[in-house]
Amino acid sequence: MQTSSNKKQLVIGNWKMNGSSAENASLLLSLLPVISRFESVEVALCPPYPYLTTVADLLDDSDVALGAQNLSAQLSGAHTGEVSASMLHDIGCRFVLVGHSERRALYAEDDDLVAKKFATALRAGLIPVLCVGETLAQRQSGETEVVVTNQLNAVLKAVGIQDLVKGVIAYEPVWAIGTGETATPEQAQAVHRHIRQYLADQDRAAAADCRILYGGSVKADNAEQLFNQPDIDGGLIGGASLDAMSFAAICWAAQTGPITDSIAI
Ligand code: PEP
């Protein structure tokens, strides 16, 4: 039997290090009137730090939430160039990405640092979006589940299952990010099911409630098939979130009724 829950699908746009004041305003001018009509999907946008407050103002009359792409694991003080969780909360962020593969690969963020950032975000009242996923070499050598499980375990060890599921998990195979190569719906569902089952082994109800997003070259033409998988609860969208009509089409594809997941009861 399958379980169903009333959680909405969630679509998060990660603008990465792109945009300008003018480009952001123009993107939102096109996007917001369209997605304001979609009631059964939750949407968030993660602009670069310098634009958070102006984007917050532009989102003010909408239901679109604000998110940040990163945060410091430190609370405050002498950490030049860093941005704290409480600052992000203070300016209206609801979400923050943690452990994006670009942070792990290019900025040497390891599992322990990611777990610390996750805990710090939660304590400040933010919803951390924990990114996990394997490289191509790891997939080819059959290590996908081990890698993802280890990434989850680091956070589980730091905060426990009850707090882990206060966040969101984003499965993002590294080989699919920004490459145009998407996991097939079946490949993605297999890993999502593994994640949900792993969480269910510790707390079945918490696992059913936890939102697990897919990320990696999601586009308007593949979103629906991905989002229709029983354990995929929405998407983390990079490149396609920079184009208003592509992102709107992805949000439309996530418009669904109650989600049903695969955990047997
Ligand atoms: C991402 O940045 O998290 C991402 C999934 O990027 P893209 O959609 O461009 O692959």
Side-chain angles (χ1 to χ4, degrees):
M1 197 192 287
Q2 296 190 316
T3 57
S4 70
S5 90
N6 286 325
K7 64 192 170 188
K8 278 185 182 176
Q9 294 235 2
L10 170 64
V11 178
I12 302 180
N14 172 16
W15 290 357
K16 309 194 188 194
M17 199 169 72
N18 292 295
S20 65
S21 302
E23 285 168 354
N24 301 344
S26 148
L27 175 59
L28 293 177
L29 193 66
S30 305
L31 179 68
L32 294 179
V34 182
I35 61 172
S36 64
R37 288 184 250 135
F38 306 166
E39 283 175 6
S40 58
V41 58
E42 194 178 342
V43 179
L45 294 173
C46 301
Y49 284 146
Y51 301 122
L52 281 169
T53 49
T54 39
V55 170
D57 289 343
L58 293 167
L59 296 182
D60 208 24
D61 290 331
S62 77
D63 289 330
V64 177
L66 188 69
Q69 299 174 17
N70 186 27
L71 79 163
S72 173
Q74 307 300 325
L75 297 182
S76 66
H79 297 284
T80 303
E82 292 288 277
V83 174
S84 75
S86 63
M87 291 171 187
L88 296 175
H89 187 261
D90 184 35
I91 60 160
C93 285
R94 180 165 161 75
F95 295 96
V96 61
L97 307 185
V98 171
H100 191 281
S101 64
E102 288 154 15
R103 304 279 337 154
R104 292 180 191 261
L106 305 175
Y107 299 94
E109 294 198 6
D110 62 14
D111 281 346
D112 287 342
L113 180 62
V114 171
K116 210 168 167 208
K117 288 187 175 194
F118 187 100
T120 306
L122 262 191
R123 251 183 265 124
L126 297 165
I127 301 176
V129 179
L130 172 65
C131 303
V132 298
E134 81 289 2
T135 62
L136 186 59
Q138 289 165 332
R139 171 161 284 264
Q140 286 170 340
S141 56
E143 292 173 80
T144 299
E145 290 191 359
V146 174
V147 169
V148 168
T149 305
N150 287 344
Q151 290 169 334
L152 291 174
N153 276 342
V155 179
L156 276 169
K157 198 169 123 206
V159 302
I161 180 72
Q162 298 306 330
D163 276 357
L164 175 65
V165 298
K166 288 180 186 156
V168 171
I169 295 170
Y171 167 58
E172 299 208 297
V174 179
W175 48 272
I177 296 180
T179 59
E181 184 145 349
T182 319
T184 64
E186 295 73 26
Q187 282 174 321
Q189 164 58 21
V191 182
H192 280 237
R193 184 181 160 78
H194 166 74
I195 293 170
R196 191 158 339 257
Q197 192 59 58
Y198 188 70
L199 301 180
D201 291 344
Q202 297 163 70
D203 187 320
R204 187 165 294 265
D209 282 345
C210 183
R211 283 191 291 196
I212 308 174
L213 312 185
Y214 171 78
S217 298
V218 177
K219 306 279 182 247
D221 60 2
N222 60 23
E224 189 175 347
Q225 267 193 306
L226 286 159
F227 297 162
N228 278 342
Q229 299 302 309
D231 289 294
I232 299 184
D233 305 322
L236 178 53
I237 318 299
S241 69
L242 298 170
D243 179 80
M245 288 311 122
S246 298
F247 189 63
I250 292 168
C251 294
W252 174 253
Q255 281 250 114
T256 57
I259 300 174
T260 301
D261 69 47
S262 69
I263 294 177
I265 53 173

